[in-house]
Amino acid sequence: MPQTNSSIQQTVLTGIKPTGNAHLGNLLGAIEPAITLSKQYPSYLFIADYHALTTVFDTKFLQEQTYHIAATWLANGALDETTIFYKQSDIPEIFELAWILSCLTAKGVLNRAHSYKAAVDYNINNKKDADYNVNCGHYLYPILMAADILITNATFVPVGQDQKQHLEIARDIANVFNQTYGDTFVLPEPIIQESIQTIPGIDGRKMSKSYRNEIPLYTSSKALRKRIMQIQTDSKGIDEVKDPTTCNLFAIFKYFATPTRVSEIENQYKTGGLAYGSLKQELFELIEAYTANSKAVYESYMQDTQKIDSILTQGKEKMRELTKPLLQQIRNAIGII
Ligand code: TRP
C-alpha cells in the first residue's frame, strides 16, 4: 500500500528561483500564501539557486539575486521555529537523489514537460533544430524539482498554476520509486495559488517578469511612484463616467484599499468625478504603507549579507540532519553498498 498523506506528518515546502527582482505579484501570489501556510505546518522554504542556473550565466547577478530572494523571504517571515530556511545548493543529497530519480523517469515524460516542449515548438516554428539553445538542465528541470520535494517528504507544495505539471511529474516519479523499491516517498500535493493569475501588471495582463509589466517590490519611493503612474488606463476625463470592471488601475487598487474605500471609488467610477492621476497617487501611498515594514527589514538584511550567510548555514545544518538519513535509506533500498 502506498503511504497516504493522512497517516504522516503534514509539512509544507516551496522554493523560489533567484532569477530576477521579486515584484508585487510574487509577494501577494506566492510569498505571502507560502508564509501563511508555513505558520500552520512545519515547513521547508528555500532558494532554488541551481534551478536558476538553467537560465542565468552571470556570476555577479546570480550572487546578488540569491541575497535578494533570501532577504525577501526573511523580510516576510520565513524565519521561525518550525520553518527550515535554506538554499538548495547547500544540500548535496538533493543532487544525488536527482540522479537516482532520473534513472527511474521515462524520457518521454520529460519530452512532454511544458517548458521543454514550448522551447522545442518555438524552434520548430522558427525553422531551427528542435533542441536549438535548449540545455540539458532545462530538460532535467522537473527531476531536480522532484528531488527538492521528495528529499523532505513534504506533503503540501504551494506553487503557481504554471508549476502544476511539475508536481504531477514529482508524484509520478515518487510512485515509480515506491513500486520499484517499496514505500519510501510521500506523494506531494500541489496547493495552487489561484490569485497569482489575477494580479494584473501595469498593462492589465498577469503580472510577470516576462511581460515586463511588473510593479517592483523593494525599490525607491521615486521609482515605485513612477511605475504606478505608468499603469495603463483609458483616456476618459475626470467628469466622465468610467467602467471599474474593465479598469486595470482599479483591479490593482482593490488589493490594497479597505473595502469601504474600494466601494467609494467604485461609485466615483460610475458617477463621474474620478481622476486617474489622484487614484494612482493614492495607490502609490497604499503600496508604500503595505510594504514599509518588510522593506525596512529587507534593507537591513541586504546591508548585512553575512547575517544572511549565517542564517542559511543554520538552515543547511538542520536540513542535512534530515536529508542524510533519508538518502541512506534510499541507497539501501536501491542496493548501493
Ligand atoms: N520551479 C519553481 C518555479 O519556477 C521553483 C522551484 C524549484 C520549486 N524547486 C521547487 C517550487 C520545489 C516548489 C517546490 O517557480
Side-chain angles (χ1 to χ4, degrees), residues 25-203:
N26 300 138
L27 178 71
L28 301 188
I31 298 170
E32 286 185 353
I35 296 282
T36 303
L37 271 176
S38 80
K39 306 288 173 204
Q40 294 159 24
Y41 302 94
S43 304
Y44 307 93
L45 301 178
F46 72 98
I47 304 162
D49 49 354
Y50 268 131
H51 270 114
L53 206 57
T54 63
T55 54
V56 176
F57 302 97
D58 178 325
T59 314
K60 204 162 167 272
F61 181 81
L62 184 59
Q63 285 170 351
E64 283 166 3
Q65 289 302 316
T66 303
Y67 283 121
H68 165 76
I69 294 296
T72 302
W73 267 130
L74 291 167
N76 286 284
L79 204 57
D80 74 24
E81 296 270 289
T82 59
T83 301
I84 306 183
F85 178 67
Y86 59 100
K87 67 185 157 61
Q88 180 189 39
S89 58
D90 277 337
I91 316 300
E93 290 75 21
I94 293 174
F95 304 94
E96 187 170 336
L97 179 59
W99 172 255
I100 296 168
L101 299 180
S102 74
C103 296
L104 292 170
T105 308
K107 183 169 170 284
V109 169
L110 297 187
N111 291 341
R112 289 186 292 275
H114 296 321
S115 154
Y116 170 72
K117 207 168 159 292
V120 168
D121 291 347
Y122 178 87
N123 283 335
I124 291 171
N125 291 337
N126 288 281
K127 304 203 168 18
K128 295 252 175 20
D129 180 78
D131 281 328
Y132 174 74
N133 243 342
V134 180
N135 61 49
C136 292
H138 189 172
Y139 188 68
L140 293 170
Y141 189 110
I143 295 191
L144 183 56
M145 186 158 156
D148 288 334
I149 300 169
L150 300 181
I151 197 71
T152 64
N153 265 327
T155 51
F156 304 126
V157 184
V159 282
Q161 180 70 32
D162 61 330
Q163 299 295 311
K164 202 174 164 201
Q165 191 194 34
H166 288 152
L167 263 291
E168 281 158 13
I169 295 174
R171 287 172 68 93
D172 287 350
I173 300 176
N175 246 326
V176 173
F177 191 102
N178 288 349
Q179 270 158 28
T180 311
Y181 297 115
D183 281 345
T184 305
F185 295 122
V186 169
L187 305 189
E189 275 176 49
I191 308 280
I192 303 290
Q193 312 291 316
E194 298 297 343
S195 56
I196 250 182
Q197 304 291 90
T198 55
I199 299 166
I202 61 163
D203 61 356

Side-chain angles (χ1 to χ4, degrees), residues 16 51 77 89 100 190 194 217 267 281 284 299 308 319-320:
I16 299 183
H51 270 114
S89 58
I100 296 168
E194 298 297 343
L217 186 52
N267 266 334
Q281 176 64 30
F284 159 68
E299 282 170 353
I308 298 180
M319 265 304 271
R320 295 199 68 204

